[in-house]
């Protein structure tokens, strides 16, 4: 396996905007806050997604844990960036974030895997910075609006195309698990498809999706808000027709009805209907979210914190959204680490709507950390302990690692 830490990149080795502490002449005595990063390590856990956990180690004996967006590649990129962090003070979170973006500019730090890798490091920096300063992570991103954060549960059934099965599961989760906010996938086969490539919805296909929405919303009633996800599946015209057909129903939001690349089409779809439209998980950094908000192309913004750029970047997106009176519903398919990072930011912003939870069918999700009861009756309490307030259970991480992975150091 290549040693990614020694790969050459002329852009990284020489850049006019080198933001390292040495180049910036940051040598003031910070007293007990003179802490240096000594290493960065990753381990991938085989959850309902392959979660990439990130650890930032320091010479103070304190370690921060973060999470990069799931999937292959981020671990190699994080190893690639580790030399840019060793010797740096982990408290300089903003500078180190920009330092990594600049250093990796030749390798694609506008979006994609590089940004999600940086996100994982950035979350870990907030965790270790909170431990150094003895404050919760939410305090580092602005303070607190709420003690607990509302969680919406992403639901699935064995027969996701069956409206009655969806309604049964929605009612069960509301009654038995206590959630008052849920979401279903709406991009499910109806049996009426003629061509799965052209994104077009025929009349019977739209009727089938409306039937799912009608059955679920009527069965759940006012006991819970119900959203529906389309995963960027439909054409502009089909999305408009579907959204209009759903207007009579109590839909919390319709998520990602069209592909994310064309903002003009997204704006047209959103402005064509009174059904609330939610977008944002496949858009990177504040720059990527800007047009969605400025052009009023979205009713609810849904950044994914371990993908969009981390905790401070999500805070920036929320601040921009607040200028347009747009609420934030964080997309989240993470382990307890990334989920808690989202909750910490959600506690600190005025326009937080909810944070997604995508692992209710995974019995050992909470076992990855020593803390119990992370989500109770559809709400997540924000800890007052330093950093993220979570402690990894190394035995559980080792048990559920992706085959071939190595466990990172405990200290």
């Amino acid at each position: 396996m290549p040693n990614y830490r020694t790969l050459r990149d002329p852009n990284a080795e020489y850049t006019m905007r080198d933001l390292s502490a040495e180049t910036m002449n940051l040598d003031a005595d910070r007293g007990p806050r003179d802490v240096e990063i000594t290493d960065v390590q990753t381990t991938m856990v085989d959850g309902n997604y392959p979660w990439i956990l990130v650890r930032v180690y320091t010479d103070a004996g304190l370690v921060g844990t973060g999470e990069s967006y799931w999937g292959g590649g981020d671990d190699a990129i994080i190893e690639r960036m580790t030399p840019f962090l060793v010797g740096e003070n982990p408290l300089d979170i903003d500078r180190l974030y920009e330092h990594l973006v600049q250093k990796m500019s030749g390798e694609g730090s506008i979006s994609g895997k590089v940004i999600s890798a940086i996100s994982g490091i950035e979350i870990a920096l907030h965790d270790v910075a909170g431990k150094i300063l003895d404050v919760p992570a939410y305090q580092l991103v602005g303070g607190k609006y709420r003690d607990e954060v509302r969680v919406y549960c992403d639901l699935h059934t064995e027969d996701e195309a069956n409206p009655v099965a969806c309604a049964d599961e929605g009612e069960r989760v509301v009654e038995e698990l206590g959630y008052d906010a849920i979401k279903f996938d709406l991009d499910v086969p109806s049996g009426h498809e003629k061509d799965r490539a052209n994104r077009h919805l025929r009349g019977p296909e739209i009727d089938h999706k409306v039937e799912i929405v009608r059955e679920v919303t009527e069965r759940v009633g006012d006991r819970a808000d119900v959203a529906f996800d389309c995963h960027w599946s439909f054409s502009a015209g089909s999305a408009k027709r579907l959204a209009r057909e759903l207007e009579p129903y109590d839909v919390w939001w319709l998520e990602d009805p069209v592909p994310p690349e064309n903002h003009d089409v997204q704006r047209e779809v959103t402005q064509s209907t009174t059904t609330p439209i939610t977008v944002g998980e496949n858009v990177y950094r504040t720059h990527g979210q800007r047009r969605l908000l400025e052009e009023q192309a979205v009713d609810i913004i849904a950044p994914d914190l371990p993908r969009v750029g981390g905790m401070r970047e999500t805070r920036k997106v929320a601040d921009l959204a607040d200028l347009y009176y747009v609420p934030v519903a964080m997309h989240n398919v993470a382990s307890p680490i990334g989920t808690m990072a989202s909750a910490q930011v959600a506690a600190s912003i005025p326009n937080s709507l909810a944070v997604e939870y995508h692992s209710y069918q995974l019995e050992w999700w909470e076992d990855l950390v020593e803390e119990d009861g992370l989500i109770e009756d559809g709400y997540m309490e924000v800890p007052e302990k330093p950093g993220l307030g979570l402690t990894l259970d190394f035995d559980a991480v080792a048990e559920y690692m992706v085959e071939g992975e190595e466990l990172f150091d405990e200290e």
Side-chain angles (χ1 to χ4, degrees):
M1 185 174 179
N3 183 354
Y4 292 104
R5 299 189 184 197
T6 61
L7 289 180
R8 291 194 68 247
D9 178 357
N11 287 70
E13 292 168 9
Y14 175 77
T15 172
M16 289 295 294
R17 196 167 177 263
D18 188 318
L19 300 180
S20 65
E22 181 181 8
T23 304
M24 300 297 291
N25 298 314
L26 297 176
D27 56 6
D29 183 1
R30 306 191 196 190
R33 293 178 290 111
D34 263 332
V35 179
E36 290 188 2
I37 296 171
T38 58
D39 199 8
V40 182
Q41 299 177 17
T42 63
T43 295
M44 190 182 296
V45 174
D46 192 12
N48 54 324
Y49 292 85
W51 297 315
I52 301 173
L53 302 181
V54 185
R55 300 270 282 176
V56 171
Y57 299 82
T58 71
D59 62 358
L62 298 171
V63 183
T65 304
E67 181 172 352
S68 177
Y69 194 77
W70 64 271
D74 291 43
D75 47 355
I77 297 171
I78 290 169
E79 185 179 355
R80 169 83 179 89
M81 294 188 292
T82 296
F84 307 143
L85 293 168
V86 171
E88 293 284 351
N89 192 314
L91 296 174
D92 295 338
I93 299 174
D94 266 5
R95 179 178 61 81
L96 294 180
Y97 176 85
E98 291 296 333
H99 182 49
L100 294 179
V101 169
Q102 187 66 36
K103 281 286 192 179
M104 297 297 288
S105 60
E107 300 181 42
S109 59
I110 294 174
S111 62
K113 284 292 183 179
V114 175
I115 288 299
S116 64
I118 293 174
S119 300
I121 293 171
E122 195 261 12
I123 295 168
L125 290 175
H126 276 89
D127 189 35
V128 74
K131 294 173 181 176
I132 294 168
L133 300 174
D134 196 27
V135 296
Y138 73 77
Q139 205 73 65
L140 301 175
V141 288
K144 185 190 282 187
Y145 277 89
R146 50 193 67 85
D147 288 331
E148 57 182 13
V149 172
R150 192 182 189 194
V151 175
Y152 77 88
C153 193
D154 192 295
L155 306 187
H156 296 274
T157 72
E158 292 185 0
D159 187 5
E160 294 188 306
N162 185 326
V164 174
C166 291
D168 287 344
E169 181 66 353
E171 198 164 34
R172 183 190 75 82
V173 167
V174 171
E175 290 184 350
E176 296 181 10
L177 303 185
Y179 287 92
D180 64 2
I182 58 178
K183 184 171 78 174
F184 286 93
D185 290 346
L186 207 53
D187 57 323
V188 292
S190 66
H192 301 290
E193 292 81 10
K194 296 295 184 182
D195 186 330
R196 299 214 179 185
N198 61 25
R199 301 188 186 278
H200 177 70
L201 288 175
R202 301 171 58 242
E205 295 174 74
I206 290 180
D207 291 343
H208 171 256
K209 299 183 190 316
V210 171
E211 186 180 357
I212 292 175
V213 171
R214 179 191 302 115
E215 188 73 30
V216 173
T217 56
E218 290 182 356
R219 287 272 295 279
V220 170
D222 61 4
R223 292 175 292 172
D225 293 313
V226 188
F228 296 90
D229 197 344
C230 302
H231 294 105
W232 328 283
S233 297
F234 308 133
S235 67
S238 293
K240 292 177 184 178
R241 291 171 59 210
L242 175 62
R244 284 197 294 267
E245 289 295 322
L246 297 182
E247 288 176 359
Y249 303 99
D250 188 14
V251 174
W252 199 18
W253 70 68
L254 186 66
E255 186 171 334
D256 291 320
V258 293
E261 298 90 350
N262 192 320
H263 285 251
D264 294 331
V265 172
Q266 180 63 61
R267 182 185 62 247
E268 291 175 8
V269 170
T270 299
Q271 295 182 358
S272 72
T273 180
T274 60
T275 298
I277 303 296
T278 298
V279 181
E281 71 177 87
N282 253 344
V283 185
Y284 294 86
R285 306 185 68 197
T286 310
H287 294 290
Q289 312 279 352
R290 178 180 61 85
R291 283 188 63 195
L292 288 171
L293 294 162
E294 289 182 349
E295 298 179 12
Q296 300 179 55
V298 62
D299 296 304
I300 299 167
I301 200 77
D304 190 296
L305 190 148
R307 177 191 247 175
V308 76
M311 296 178 68
R312 295 182 73 81
E313 195 72 9
T314 301
R315 170 74 206 222
K316 292 175 184 178
V317 171
D319 288 342
L320 180 59
D322 202 38
L323 296 180
Y324 293 89
Y325 317 126
V326 171
V328 178
M330 292 187 204
H331 180 266
N332 173 64
V333 294
S335 80
I337 300 300
T339 303
M340 181 57 76
S342 294
Q344 293 272 351
V345 174
S348 75
I349 59 176
N351 49 339
S352 175
L353 195 60
V355 171
E356 184 175 13
Y357 174 53
H358 211 290
S359 303
Y360 80 110
Q361 294 172 320
L362 187 68
E363 294 181 355
W364 54 265
W365 181 83
E366 197 173 87
D367 294 347
L368 288 178
V369 296
E370 295 180 3
E371 291 75 15
D372 297 324
L374 297 186
I375 302 174
E376 297 285 352
D377 295 325
Y379 284 79
M380 195 167 190
E381 186 175 348
V382 181
E384 288 299 324
K385 295 193 294 185
L388 295 180
L390 297 180
T391 307
L392 281 180
D393 185 315
F394 275 74
D395 291 337
V397 174
E399 180 180 356
Y400 298 113
M401 285 190 309
V402 170
E403 184 178 354
E405 281 286 294
E406 294 184 7
L407 186 64
F408 34 44
D409 296 336
E410 190 165 348
E411 295 182 355

